[in-house]
Amino acid sequence: YLKKVLFGSLFLGFLVYIIYTIVAPHDESLLYATIINDNISTSQEEAIIQEFGELIDYNPNRQTIIFDDSFYLNPENVDLTTQSKIATYAYANSLDVIIADEDMFEYYVNEGYFFDLTQVLPSDTYSNLTDSLYMGASEINEDTTAKAYGVYLDNSKLYTDASANYQGIYGTEQKRMVIGIVQNTKNRDVCIEFI
């Protein structure tokens, strides 16, 4: 009887775990932003989340906003492990926006990662950002016409105050950072609001 009781208990425990995993409420991911070749302090990240959260009615008990600044890549010698991690997030529809220096942003434009912002941004927002648009052409697409794939963050006080790059922590040479919306994001409206 001992084997039957143990087996029955294990089976019942496994069944309860499966049901709980399916039925239990999960945190809804509102925004997952990958930051490449820069980092922001925890206190500044919290300030950005709080300020942005007020715009979109963010509930931290049920929703998540993540800024992952653990990615450092050299466009001339891209680390395959890091590149694979970013690709995995993108293909799993978990990655919403990428913030990167110009060189790495160009790399991901060439890989076909981003929306053409003329197609997704409201016309008033687009016209307000005209002077800050990153124009590029994707090598993957047959059309080599330059399109607006990103927005330079030089004029974003919120980002430049939080950025180690713009604060000169990495040295005297600042890199221009660009933000773009990943094509297969599940949270396109939130990404537009974030920009």
Side-chain angles (χ1 to χ4, degrees):
Y1 290 111
L2 182 59
K3 289 181 183 180
K4 290 180 182 180
V5 169
L6 285 175
F7 179 74
S9 298
L10 286 174
F11 179 75
L12 185 60
F14 180 72
L15 187 61
V16 167
Y17 171 76
I18 295 294
I19 291 171
Y20 176 78
T21 302
I22 293 171
V23 175
H26 300 285
D27 287 349
E28 175 189 9
S29 175
L30 287 182
L31 182 72
Y32 187 94
T34 294
I35 301 173
I36 302 172
N37 298 340
D38 194 7
N39 65 1
I40 57 178
S41 70
T42 303
S43 62
Q44 293 286 1
E45 179 181 347
E46 290 169 2
I48 292 171
I49 290 172
Q50 180 179 355
E51 188 169 330
F52 179 59
E54 290 171 5
L55 291 173
I56 60 169
D57 296 327
Y58 167 61
N59 181 346
N61 296 323
R62 293 190 323 242
Q63 299 168 321
T64 60
I65 296 175
I66 298 171
F67 294 93
D68 188 350
D69 60 0
S70 63
F71 300 98
Y72 291 91
L73 293 169
N74 178 346
E76 295 165 7
N77 187 17
V78 177
D79 173 40
L80 293 179
T81 304
T82 305
Q83 183 183 10
S84 296
K85 186 176 177 183
I86 292 170
T88 301
Y89 284 146
Y91 292 124
N93 299 339
S94 298
L95 183 57
D96 299 311
V97 298
I98 292 178
I99 299 172
D101 61 70
E102 274 184 297
D103 293 337
M104 284 312 306
F105 196 83
E106 180 182 4
Y107 172 83
Y108 283 104
V109 165
N110 289 334
E111 294 293 313
Y113 269 64
F114 301 111
F115 274 116
D116 174 5
L117 296 180
T118 60
Q119 304 299 315
V120 295
L121 290 181
S123 58
D124 59 331
T125 303
Y126 184 82
S127 62
N128 287 337
L129 295 172
T130 303
D131 294 338
S132 299
L133 293 174
Y134 171 93
M135 303 299 287
S138 174
E139 292 177 1
I140 284 190
N141 301 330
E142 302 264 334
D143 182 10
T144 57
T145 307
K147 295 185 175 140
Y149 287 112
V151 177
Y152 285 103
L153 295 173
D154 301 349
N155 296 324
S156 169
K157 182 167 174 36
L158 188 64
Y159 187 79
T160 57
D161 285 351
S163 163
N165 170 54
Y166 284 105
Q167 298 302 313
I169 293 173
Y170 294 139
T172 56
E173 184 182 337
Q174 294 177 346
K175 298 177 180 178
R176 295 186 77 191
M177 301 299 288
V178 188
I179 184 171
I181 301 174
V182 177
Q183 281 194 24
N184 61 347
T185 177
K186 296 181 295 186
N187 302 313
R188 186 164 89 174
D189 292 338
V190 176
C191 296
I192 292 168
E193 193 70 35
F194 185 64
I195 287 180

